Amino acid sequence: MTLPKNNTRRKFVGQISIATAAITATPLLSRANSFFKVDNSYTVGQIMDMFIKTVPNAPFASTVDTLKAGNRDIVVTGIVTTMFPTVDVIRKTIALGANFIICHEPTFYNHVDDVTWLQNDEVYQFKADLLKKHNITIWRNHDYIHSIRPDGVTTGVVAKLGWKEYQQGPNTFLFQGITLGALIDQLKQKLETPQVRLIGDLNQSIKNVLLMLGAAGGRAQIEAIEKYKPDVLVCGEISEWETAEYVRDARAEGRSIALVVTGHIPSEEAGSAFMAEWLEQRLKGTKITHVVCGNSLSFA
C-alpha cells in the first residue's frame, strides 16, 4: 500500500533528524562551533591559536608567551593590547568591559613571570587578586609577534616613524642625510617621549641608521654595530657597562658612530598598536582597544 504524501514527508524528515543527531554525536562533529560559527564570540584559546598559526615553525617548544592569568576557555568580551599590563591598564580594561589583555612584556617583574619568589609580596598579591576578582586573562605575545615575517613590532614602529621608504633591511635604514639632532627630534615626536639618552655630536650627519628595538642585549648590539657599521644605533635600552662603553671607545678610535637610547617602552609601544590592528582585521564584532601603558620613568 502506498502511503499518503504527507506521511512520506514525515518519515523522510524523521530520518533526517535521526541522521543529524547521529552525526552531531560523533566526537569530531559534536564541536560544531569550530566549524560553523553562529555568533561573533571567541575564546581566549581561539584567538591565541589564530595568531600562533601565522608564525613560522610555531608553536614553540620553549617560550615566554604563556597565560599569566585566566585560562584558554574564557569567552572574550573585549580585548586590550598594551606593552605592560600595569595595574592602571588592568583598571582601564575593567572599565572598558574587556576581559582579555594581550601584552608584550612581563606581568610580574621578570622575563619568565616566575612568581614563586613573590608569594608573600603585597604588590604581587594586589595585582593577582585584581585580575582574579575581575576574571581577567593575560597572554604575553612577545616571542611570536617578533617571529612573524616581517617582525610585527618592527612593522608597527616603522609605520609610526614613517620610515618605510628608507628601509633597506629588517632593521637598517638609509637616509639622504640628516643631522643627529634632527633625527632625535623626529624620534622624540613620533615615539612620544620627551627625552632620549645619547652619545654623539648633535650636528653630525647621519645616513645609515641601525634600529634595534627593546632590549636586544649588549653583545647583540655590539655585533650588529660591527656588521652594519651604522652612523647611529637607535635602541630601546642598554646595559650601561656594555654598548655605551663600546661606542665611547669606538669614537675615541676615530669612528663617528652615535648612540641613541629611547627607552624600552617608547621603542616598542607601536608593536602593541600593530597587534590591535591585526586583531581588528580578523575579529569582527569584538571590541579591541590599544591602551598605552606609558613610561614608568619620568625625567627631572
Side-chain angles (χ1 to χ4, degrees), residues 5-47:
K5 288 184 179 179
N6 61 336
N7 286 344
T8 304
R9 184 176 181 279
R10 285 196 206 98
K11 184 177 180 181
F12 178 68
V13 171
Q15 288 172 339
I16 290 177
S17 299
I18 293 169
T20 302
I23 290 171
T24 56
T26 62
L28 178 63
L29 295 181
S30 60
R31 295 172 299 185
N33 268 5
S34 60
F35 295 92
F36 309 104
K37 203 158 185 58
V38 295
D39 57 26
N40 290 321
S41 65
Y42 296 86
T43 65
V44 165
Q46 286 175 323
I47 293 170

Side-chain angles (χ1 to χ4, degrees), residues 12-183:
F12 178 68
V13 171
Q15 288 172 339
I16 290 177
S17 299
I18 293 169
T20 302
I23 290 171
T24 56
T26 62
L28 178 63
L29 295 181
S30 60
R31 295 172 299 185
N33 268 5
S34 60
F35 295 92
F36 309 104
K37 203 158 185 58
V38 295
D39 57 26
N40 290 321
S41 65
Y42 296 86
T43 65
V44 165
Q46 286 175 323
I47 293 170
M48 291 170 59
D49 293 344
M50 186 184 301
F51 189 86
I52 292 169
K53 284 177 182 176
T54 69
V55 180
N57 303 313
F60 302 151
S62 178
T63 178
V64 296
D65 292 4
T66 57
L67 291 175
K68 312 306 178 182
N71 65 75
R72 288 177 54 90
D73 298 325
I74 290 175
V75 175
V76 173
T77 60
I79 303 172
V80 163
T81 66
T82 192
M83 266 286 284
F84 282 89
T86 65
V87 169
D88 284 342
V89 169
I90 294 168
R91 286 171 171 160
K92 289 176 182 177
T93 301
I94 295 165
L96 287 165
N99 64 349
F100 186 23
I101 298 174
I102 300 177
C103 61
H104 187 62
E105 297 298 0
T107 302
F108 296 117
Y109 325 119
N110 63 98
H111 185 54
V112 296
D113 283 289
D114 173 21
V115 297
T116 56
W117 59 287
L118 290 168
Q119 293 305 302
N120 296 319
D121 185 275
E122 292 181 4
V123 175
Y124 161 73
Q125 288 292 349
F126 175 80
K127 191 172 190 178
D129 289 347
L130 183 65
L131 291 166
K132 186 175 181 180
K133 178 181 177 182
H134 294 278
N135 202 28
I136 304 292
T137 296
I138 294 181
W139 176 46
R140 184 180 182 190
N141 186 3
H142 179 276
D143 298 347
Y144 288 123
I145 196 171
H146 276 306
S147 298
I148 61 173
R149 292 293 177 265
D151 181 308
V153 176
T154 301
T155 298
V157 174
V158 170
K160 187 167 186 177
L161 288 172
W163 284 9
K164 184 62 180 175
E165 64 181 292
Y166 308 108
Q167 193 165 15
Q168 302 296 300
N171 59 345
T172 55
F173 302 82
L174 181 64
F175 292 85
Q176 294 302 311
I178 185 174
T179 66
L180 179 61
L183 183 73

